[in-house]
Structures are given as C-alpha cells and as structure tokens.
Amino acid sequence: MRKNLQNIKLDTTGLQKQEAPKSVDTAEGISIQSHYTAKAIETAKHLDFAAGIPPYLRGPYSTMYTQKPWTIRQYAGFSTAAESNTFYKRNLAAGQNALSVAFDLATHRGYDSDHERVIGDVGKAGVAIDTVEDMIALFSGIPLDSISVSMTMNGAILPILAFYIVAAEAQDIPVSALAGTIQNDILKEFMVRNTYIYPPAPSMAIVADILKYTSTYMPKFNGISISGYHMLEAGASCDIELAYTLADGLEYLRTGINAGIPVDTLAPRLSFFWGIGMNHFMEIAKLRAARVLWAKIVKQFQPENPKSLALRAHCQTSGWSLTAQDPHTNIARTTVEAMAAVFGGTQSLHTNALDEAMALPTDASARIARNTQLYILKETQITKTIDPWGGSFYVEKLTHDLIQKSWQLLQDIERLGGMTKAIATGKPKAKIEAAAAKKQAKIDAGEDIIVGVNAFNAEKAHLISTLEIDTEAVRLEQIKRLKTVKAQRNNAKVKEALAKLTKAAETLKSNAYKTNAAPTNLLQLTINAARVRATLGEISNALEQVFGRHEAPVALASGVYKTTLKDNNSAFNKAKALVERLIAETGRPPKILVSKIGQDGHDRGAKVIATAYTDIGFKVEMAPLFLTPKEVTRLALEKDVDVLGISSQVAGHKTLIPQVVKALESQNRSDIMVIVGGVIPKKDYSFLKDAGAAAVFGPGSKISDTAIHILEKLLALNA
C-alpha cells in the first residue's frame, strides 16, 4: 500500500542530541568544521563572481565545459624517439587529442647520451633527444600544425624548443602555426625538481628571451607554463603550492615586462600547471582561489584586455599519492583526483597510470588512465554545469580561506624581494621540505591514512607487470645516431653557430644578465645552431662555458619529523634506543650518507629520510645531487660512513647500484652497508640484493622501521 509522503514524519530527536564532531585542522592550517551554513561564507567576497568575467573564479570561459570540454593530454615519453612516436600515435587514435612530452633526465640536464654522467639515465624517465633528427623522429607522421604539443622542459629548454621548431620546418610548417606550451619554469627547479643547468640569473635571462621570441613569432604557443605540480609532489600543502606558484608567475610577469613585452601581450600567454592530490575539496578550492589571486596580481600592471587577468590551468593527478601496494587501487585514486581537477575547472588534464608508483606506464595502464577522463567526460554529465560546486558553503569557505592564507604566503615572498631573491635565501625550499617531513611523520604514525600502506593492508602483495627499459640498448642506439649526425653535418658551420652562442652569453654576463642585454635572442641563435645539426649537449656546453653549472647548497631540516610524531610512537622510540645501544658499543652514533646518483633530482624521499634519521639519532651526511657511482663512493669514504643510503626514483637502480657496490669493493670497503630505497618494482629487489645491496625499501616503507632494520644489522656486525 502506497503511503502519502505528506503524512510521513522524520524523527530527528536522536540526531539533535548528538554532539557535533570537533573541527579538524588540515596541512594548510585551515580548520574543517563538522557542518557549514550560510553564516560560514558571510565574509567571503567572491560569491558573485561569474565564469568568463574577471576575476574568473568559476572559470576563464563563460560557458566552460558546456560548450567545450577540457583537453585530454597524457604525459608520455620513453626509450627512443621512434618508440615514443609509436606510443603517441596509438594514444591519439584512441581518443587523446593533444601530446605532452616527457624527456629523459640526460636531456633535461643538457647532456648528450654519450656523456659519462648519464650511463644509467638514457631513455629511462622519458624520451632521449640528442639532435634535431631525434625530434623529427619523435613527431614523424604527427602534423604539428594541428596537434597541440606540451613539453615539460626547463634546463635544456633552448635546444629542445629549437629542435621542435626545426622539426616543424622539416614538415614545411611555419613557426607561427605551432600550438602548445613549453614549461620554461626554471624557478621551481631551484626549489623542488632540480633539473636545472645554469645558475638563477642566466636562467632567468633565458626565460626572458624565450618569452620575447614566442610572443613575437608564435601566437598560438605559450612560452611558459608555471608549475605548482612539482611543489605538491615534493611535499607542499595546497596553500604553499598556490602561493609559491603564483609568486613564480609574478616574477615571470615582471621579467617579461622588463624585457619590453606589453602586459596585454604577455599575460594571456601565461598558463599554469597544478598538481591534484587526494584532499578532494581542497583541490577544487585551490583552482578557484588561484584564478582570483592571479587576477589580483595581474591587475596591478594595469592591463587593458580583461583576458590578461584570466588564469588558464593544466592539471595532473598526483604521482606521489599512488601506492606500490595493491596498485589497482590507484585507479580509484586517480579518478578522485581527476574529478577534483574537473570540478575545479581545469583547461587540460593528465591522469597518471596505476603502475607509476613502480615504473613508467605500460600500454594497458596508460589506456586505463586516459579512459578515466573519457568516462568522466562522456558518462557523468559533469560537463552540463558551470562550476558544479559553486554555492556549496563548504567549498566556498575553503576557497575563501585558501585565498587568505595563500595571499599571506605570497606577501612573505614579496617582502624578501620576489621569488628569485627568496630562493637565494633557501626559505621556500625549506618550507616545502618541512611540510614533506611532517606529512611523512603523520603517515608513519597512522594519523594520515593511506589505504593498503598503513591501514587495511592486503594479506598478500599484488605484483603486476611493469614496463622496463633496456637503458644500455637505448644508450647505444642514441650514440649510433649521434655519430651519424656528426658525420653528415658541416662541422665548420656547427663551430661557428656555437661560437655565436658563447659570444652572446658573454655579452649577457658582462651586462649582469639584464633581459635586454643580448645583441641577438638566445633562442634564435640556438635555432640557427640546430639547423646545422649542433647537438643538445654541444649547445648546452656552449652556454655552460660562460654561465657555469649550478650547484645547489646542501641543507637539512631537523626536529620536524620528531615533533610531529607522538611521544609514545613505539617504532620511533625503539629506533632511538637502538642508536643509544650502538653508541654504547662503538663510541659514536651510526653514520649514514644519503644520496641520489645519476641525474635524478627528485629528492623529496632522500630529504625526508635524512631529516627523520637525524631525529632518530644518526649522524647524517647529505650528498650533493647528480653524483656518479664513483663520486658517491669517494664521498662515502671521505665521510667514513657505516651506511650508504641511495634513493632511486627513475629506474636507474639496476645500472647504478651494482656500480656503487663494485666501486666500494675496489676500495676494500665492502663493510659499508649499501641500502636502496624509492620507486623500485618488487621484482627488482632480489636483483639488487644479489648485486650487493643489504636491504631494499620500497614505496610506503615506514621510516622508523627502516631505521630499526639497519640498526639491527649494524649491531649484528659489531657483535
């Protein structure tokens, strides 16, 4: 019998008696309440803002996805240019509508594949590009006048952008027809990602020349994409990522204007690149807050075109949030993060694959990642509404709070003289590293839940097949291609073109790197060198002779990990007790050298380990970045350490770790224990142990537990 709904009464007595949960503080220092009403947003000033109208809170375009959805990109590149080209074509045929190119670390750092420093890095974390011929092969059969190309490149940006332009010329495509973006965000490299080549001052002069060239000759191409993604991945909370990324944007805006580019020419061509983590509603609020703050920043330069105030965003789901344990659950994580990017109003999106906590994605996992966007686009009806969470008391309050907090942080940077000067103080980098250490401590203590890592763990590890690159085969193939190019070119013309680059660099340096000091644009000179087939390494070296190579100072935070953990954390206390026992037996604390080797600059894990081990009681030495196996061995001997800890993220471990072990053996120091940690597939553990590693700690390992394992081994050796 159907009941009349009007006669049904809801008994809320029990609910009214329940005590409201207490508020929860986030990493951003924002207090999350148990419930929100209209009163929560009474002081918010952004509520009447519309999409397509400054300050663009609800999106840079008035109709947003109702007329045109976001662009589906997949960040990809591996092995040789030919293999990556095949991969790109499959993705384009399957529904991807733009390309996003990942380059290997040798390329990022300005080395040709035959350089001794990149033996373990060629083709591993991206595609190897040494010459124009490689770039031509990368885009073979892909019309560059109709496919938008995004390139994540900062250090070796001059040769890479020049190669791209010359590769288009090989397709008879003029530079004016090229559409896409190149990252060109060198400031964040000095804070987090570390794929720089030259020091900050000449690097900013290069940024200015690229902005001048692209704004003059490439109307469809964005000469810079200002990245917060790598800050998020390095440990920054949303307010820090937001503030520091916008501070970088402000610095680039000033740089371009000082170089003579009008604000209404420059500002509409700047784009932003955000990371999207698992704090779902905070991420939605972050994108909305970013647009309001950027409009406020640009407005001070008095643009006449309202489009100059609009922030356009590319987003990528977090790689750090992915877990190696039960990796199929990463599909859900990526989906949640992708939804946040879409709800926040991104203009393009990359979704990470389920296996990227261990290796580069396979074809199958890349398809799942790409199709995740297609499901959201085609099946959810999300695109039918502009700003779906607009009006939500919760999301509007988060947006308001992020605007306030991030603006305060941005003003802190301004008081230091802007981001370039702030970076020189080390304060932005230190703040991000402290946030990372605090986050790891909360995970290790079980306060922040990572399903399958510190809670709800699977009874049995679930192994999956991962993509593996034969680095040596790729390196030999690249060397062969290099030799062919050098044999067929006019070396006198190459020498002349490189000499002009060096001369222009000398002029810049003598004029204190003023943005209008170079007699000829550096990118134009690099294009000329590329046309005569100068290599990426030769071009980079022509500038390095004058600019030098940047070497970042080594600094460690202490106390953050310890103070975040509770006093009764049993694992931490056990590790400290083992240190005290070892001191009693040997007369000194255990000494560890924490190192990256090869060209991998992603040092979040290494820095967190070093910070935590310091708090546990180890004597910690932190190695400079980019050492070879021989160099890190020499440093371990100089520091007289008990343990050499090597952090790996980009799959060079099977090449580089055996070299370290052999180098120690050659010095009769096999007593130094080699420990390996980082993004390492489970199937490689036995290989590394057979090669001489005493222990391997994969993603998700609790730091205190790793310390206990090492200390027990040291005590056994001293027994």
Side-chain angles (χ1 to χ4, degrees):
M1 183 176 181
R2 183 177 296 176
K3 294 184 178 181
N4 189 331
L5 292 177
Q6 291 180 338
N7 296 328
I8 297 177
K9 294 182 179 180
L10 179 65
D11 183 2
T12 61
T13 306
L15 295 176
Q16 291 170 350
K17 289 181 179 179
Q18 290 179 355
E19 186 176 335
K22 295 180 180 179
S23 63
V24 177
D25 287 333
T26 67
E28 293 76 17
I30 293 173
S31 182
I32 306 298
Q33 306 302 313
S34 61
H35 64 284
Y36 288 81
T37 65
K39 186 176 178 62
I41 54 174
E42 285 179 344
T43 59
K45 298 179 181 179
H46 65 264
L47 299 179
D48 294 331
F49 297 151
I53 301 173
Y56 302 102
L57 169 86
R58 306 186 191 285
Y61 308 114
S62 59
T63 57
M64 288 302 288
Y65 304 147
T66 63
Q67 295 297 315
K68 183 181 179 181
W70 66 94
T71 300
I72 299 173
R73 294 187 186 273
Q74 286 301 99
Y75 181 53
F78 60 94
S79 187
T80 63
E83 286 200 48
S84 290
N85 174 264
T86 301
F87 185 77
Y88 292 162
K89 286 177 178 175
R90 285 200 299 267
N91 283 2
L92 290 170
Q96 184 177 319
N97 48 21
L99 295 177
S100 185
V101 182
F103 299 97
D104 73 357
L105 289 170
T107 303
H108 274 289
R109 295 271 294 146
Y111 294 117
D112 286 337
S113 297
D114 59 357
H115 199 284
E116 64 179 358
R117 287 193 169 274
V118 300
I119 290 174
D121 296 307
V122 178
K124 274 289 187 183
V127 61
I129 299 292
D130 295 318
T131 66
V132 167
E133 307 308 325
D134 288 335
M135 193 70 81
I136 290 172
L138 185 67
F139 295 115
S140 176
I142 298 173
L144 292 178
D145 54 351
S146 59
I147 295 293
S148 172
V149 176
S150 171
M151 293 180 285
T152 301
M153 177 52 65
N154 301 284
I157 188 167
L158 286 171
I160 285 298
L161 186 51
F163 290 175
Y164 171 66
I165 290 167
V166 177
E169 291 175 353
Q171 294 185 11
D172 293 324
I173 295 170
V175 68
S176 59
L178 297 175
T181 304
I182 195 158
Q183 194 163 95
N184 195 24
D185 178 7
I186 199 63
L187 289 174
K188 71 98 170 47
E189 299 295 333
F190 296 116
M191 274 189 279
V192 289
R193 190 163 172 255
N194 300 311
T195 54
Y196 43 70
I197 300 175
Y198 317 112
S203 294
M204 287 298 287
I206 291 170
V207 168
D209 270 10
I210 288 171
L211 291 176
K212 283 188 285 187
Y213 185 95
T214 54
S215 64
T216 303
Y217 301 110
M218 304 175 75
K220 299 179 181 180
F221 195 87
N222 298 317
I224 194 165
S225 174
I226 305 142
S227 175
Y229 179 84
H230 302 96
M231 297 183 202
L232 180 82
E233 294 294 275
S237 50
C238 286
D239 59 327
I240 295 174
E241 180 196 0
L242 182 52
Y244 288 0
T245 306
L246 294 177
D248 284 350
L250 174 55
E251 196 83 339
Y252 295 130
L253 196 57
R254 287 175 176 146
T255 297
I257 290 171
N258 290 339
I261 307 172
V263 63
D264 282 321
T265 300
L266 177 62
R269 301 165 59 79
L270 303 182
S271 64
F272 287 80
F273 173 23
W274 304 101
I276 303 294
M278 286 295 287
N279 193 344
H280 185 72
F281 291 103
M282 193 72 75
E283 296 292 356
I284 297 170
K286 181 178 74 181
L287 298 188
R288 302 167 93 247
R291 291 191 285 268
V292 173
L293 288 173
W294 183 242
K296 184 175 182 178
I297 288 169
V298 178
K299 191 174 182 179
Q300 65 185 298
F301 295 95
Q302 300 179 327
E304 296 180 2
N305 183 357
K307 291 183 179 179
S308 296
L309 303 175
L311 181 150
R312 289 165 298 109
H314 169 70
C315 292
Q316 180 174 339
T317 60
S318 174
W320 182 85
S321 69
L322 304 179
T323 70
Q325 298 85 350
D326 199 6
H328 285 107
T329 60
N330 292 331
I331 299 172
R333 291 185 175 93
T334 293
T335 303
V336 170
E337 291 169 348
M339 294 281 279
V342 172
F343 282 140
T346 189
Q347 277 59 72
S348 63
L349 177 61
H350 165 86
T351 34
N352 284 330
L354 65 95
D355 47 2
E356 290 189 66
M358 297 84 73
L360 290 169
T362 62
D363 282 1
S365 66
R367 182 179 186 276
I368 293 170
R370 181 187 62 254
N371 284 0
T372 297
Q373 294 193 51
L374 293 175
Y375 304 146
I376 295 170
L377 174 61
K378 300 295 185 181
E379 298 186 23
T380 64
Q381 303 296 307
I382 285 174
T383 59
K384 304 303 181 185
T385 304
I386 298 168
D387 192 21
W389 284 99
S392 158
F393 300 145
Y394 179 38
V395 172
E396 299 291 11
K397 183 62 165 64
L398 286 180
T399 303
H400 171 267
D401 289 351
L402 270 178
I403 289 171
Q404 302 305 313
K405 283 196 165 290
S406 296
W407 186 253
Q408 291 172 10
L409 287 170
L410 197 151
Q411 292 305 301
D412 290 342
I413 298 297
E414 285 295 282
R415 281 188 283 272
L416 293 172
M419 187 53 91
T420 301
K421 292 181 178 178
I423 285 171
T425 70
K427 291 182 179 180
K429 187 177 183 69
K431 194 170 185 70
I432 293 171
E433 289 173 357
K438 186 174 182 179
K439 175 69 174 178
Q440 189 61 50
K442 284 181 171 290
I443 293 170
D444 287 355
E447 292 183 39
D448 287 359
I449 298 299
I450 309 294
V451 175
V453 175
N454 63 355
F456 310 107
N457 294 29
E459 293 182 4
K460 184 179 179 181
H462 185 72
L463 300 180
I464 61 172
S465 297
T466 54
L467 180 66
E468 187 164 347
I469 306 298
D470 186 342
T471 303
E472 185 60 14
V474 175
R475 191 174 72 90
L476 293 175
E477 173 65 22
Q478 287 299 115
I479 291 172
K480 181 180 177 181
R481 290 173 62 83
L482 266 169
K483 289 179 178 178
T484 300
V485 169
K486 289 181 178 181
Q488 294 175 349
R489 70 189 185 180
N490 185 322
N491 286 313
K493 289 184 177 180
V494 172
K495 186 176 180 180
E496 180 184 355
L498 294 174
K500 288 180 179 179
L501 261 176
T502 300
K503 180 66 175 177
E506 289 169 346
T507 303
L508 258 180
K509 185 176 182 180
S510 65
N511 286 278
Y513 300 111
K514 293 179 182 177
T515 53
N516 56 359
T520 309
N521 187 284
L522 288 176
L523 178 55
Q524 182 61 67
L525 289 173
T526 307
I527 293 169
N528 295 341
R531 285 175 178 147
V532 297
R533 292 335 191 234
T535 71
L536 176 134
E538 290 171 336
I539 291 167
S540 300
N541 187 61
L543 298 173
E544 185 183 340
Q545 291 176 37
V546 180
F547 297 156
R549 242 178 211 274
H550 180 66
E551 294 183 10
V554 178
L556 283 180
S558 63
V560 177
Y561 186 85
K562 176 173 60 178
T563 55
T564 305
L565 287 173
K566 304 299 183 185
D567 291 336
N568 61 352
N569 186 275
S570 58
F572 184 77
N573 290 335
K574 180 179 179 180
K576 287 182 65 177
L578 289 172
V579 167
E580 292 300 324
R581 181 178 157 191
L582 199 58
I583 292 173
E585 292 186 10
T586 64
R588 67 175 178 85
K591 295 180 70 174
I592 182 171
L593 175 65
V594 178
S595 175
K596 306 283 294 184
I597 48 177
Q599 299 305 306
D600 178 13
H602 297 82
D603 61 352
R604 171 181 178 156
K607 286 291 184 70
V608 169
I609 288 288
T611 296
Y613 273 38
T614 298
D615 289 350
I616 288 169
F618 280 77
K619 170 65 175 174
V620 178
E621 300 285 352
M622 190 78 198
L625 290 170
F626 313 124
L627 298 184
T628 64
K630 287 183 179 179
E631 288 169 339
V632 80
T633 298
R634 189 181 309 124
L635 186 59
L637 297 178
E638 289 174 2
K639 299 295 184 181
D640 189 28
V641 298
D642 305 299
V643 182
L644 173 53
I646 299 172
S647 174
S648 174
Q649 181 165 334
V650 293
H653 51 270
K654 292 181 73 173
T655 301
L656 298 172
I657 301 303
Q659 291 184 17
V660 171
V661 173
K662 288 179 181 178
L664 287 170
E665 289 174 349
S666 71
Q667 298 297 315
N668 297 316
R669 289 305 308 271
S670 297
D671 58 303
I672 295 178
M673 190 186 304
V674 177
I675 305 295
V676 189
V679 181
I680 301 170
K682 193 86 173 179
K683 63 184 177 63
D684 289 351
Y685 287 15
S686 58
F687 172 89
L688 293 175
K689 290 178 180 179
D690 290 343
V696 181
F697 301 116
S701 299
K702 291 184 179 180
I703 293 179
S704 295
D705 289 345
T706 67
I708 290 168
H709 185 86
I710 292 170
L711 289 164
E712 288 177 342
K713 280 183 172 289
L714 289 174
L715 285 165
L717 289 172
N718 283 284

